[in-house]
Amino acid sequence: MTAQDTLAKKEQADVVRRQEQTEYYQPAVDIRETPEDVILQFDMPGVQKNNVDLTVDKGVLTVTGKADQEDCGTAVYRETRVGDYRRQFNLTDDVDPNGISAEMDAGVLTVKIHKPEKAKPKRIQITGGK
Amino acid sequence: MLLNSWFPFFDVAKTLDEMDRMFGTRGAPLGLRSVPRGTFPAINVYDRGESVVLTAEIPGVKADDLDLSVLNDSVTLKGQRNGSAGEKDRYYRRERPAGSFSRTITLPDPVDPDSVKAEYNHGVLKVTMSKAAEAKAKKIEIKS
């Protein structure tokens, strides 16, 4: 396969992914790095723990959340969107799916991706010389 | 992107672009009321006939950190949302609003301040208020 073919295939895959995403609403995310992990936090108000789905498939991390529907009468103002949350990230090859943990609290999903050993800074002992 | 750091995501720029596209349409086609981008928290108001219900999406706070006050037909909601980052942490992206916020909303009718009930569940604050007596039945005499 030529490089051009590979590129064309990738673009096609991106288009499909974009189309899928339009039915969903992307939750706001914070991404930060700590010495041990990379932490993602998603704002998903109205989503209970049982309604969150986190998957890693073929190097794609997908977060899906189903919000409880508000049934409160006739809307006078409405600022929130209607629909479910979904967001995807492509992971690099060195991510171990078993090193990913997640927690849901007060409408915030926290996903921890544990850094592989080789990505951590390593202290090298200097020998020789007196 | 900073060198010498482990970053487990590809195509960040593309995702950002997608995000802007999504947020650019926020409030416009879906809502009855469009608000400027970044308005926090997002608030919905519902009319239930005898009562008014307000919901606000404030994920990641404690109920004690919220301050709600009601006067006639206006509701003020104040609070603070802080990040949980440590000193050595480095942010790659911050889309979630942080810090203190305050919003005042005018309700369709005045409400009885003693009737206000508020509960915070799964990041959503729900405030239920009964309409004030004068709002329920208002008869105006027409003079000739």
Side-chain angles (χ1 to χ4, degrees), chain B residues 37-54:
Chain B
R37 182 176 159 170
T39 303
F40 184 85
I43 289 177
N44 296 333
V45 177
Y46 301 90
D47 190 331
R48 263 185 174 169
E50 294 286 291
S51 63
V52 177
V53 178
L54 178 149

Side-chain angles (χ1 to χ4, degrees), chain B residues 79-111:
Chain B
Q80 188 145 9
R81 188 162 88 143
N82 297 319
S84 46
E87 276 185 12
K88 286 185 175 175
D89 295 4
R90 185 159 56 194
Y91 272 95
Y92 289 100
R93 194 179 300 178
R94 293 193 86 154
E95 295 168 8
R96 301 167 63 230
S100 59
F101 57 85
S102 173
R103 283 198 74 183
T104 301
I105 289 281
T106 304
L107 302 171
D109 289 299
V111 294

Side-chain angles (χ1 to χ4, degrees), chain A residues 14 18 21 29-33 43 46 70 72 74 76-80 87 90 92 94 106, chain B residues 6 8 10 14 18 33 43-48 55 60 81 89-90 92-93 95-96 103 106 122:
Chain A
D14 286 344
R18 281 189 189 196
Q21 276 177 350
V29 68
D30 281 359
I31 303 176
R32 67 177 202 268
E33 185 186 350
D43 270 352
E70 285 178 358
C72 304
T74 318
V76 183
Y77 312 137
R78 202 157 182 34
E79 295 175 3
T80 59
R87 199 151 178 182
N90 288 353
T92 49
D94 54 356
Chain B
W6 181 71
F10 287 132
K14 190 179 287 167
E18 277 174 3
R33 184 175 202 258
I43 289 177
N44 296 333
V45 177
Y46 301 90
D47 190 331
R48 263 185 174 169
T55 59
R81 188 162 88 143
D89 295 4
R90 185 159 56 194
Y92 289 100
R93 194 179 300 178
E95 295 168 8
R96 301 167 63 230
R103 283 198 74 183
T106 304
H122 311 298

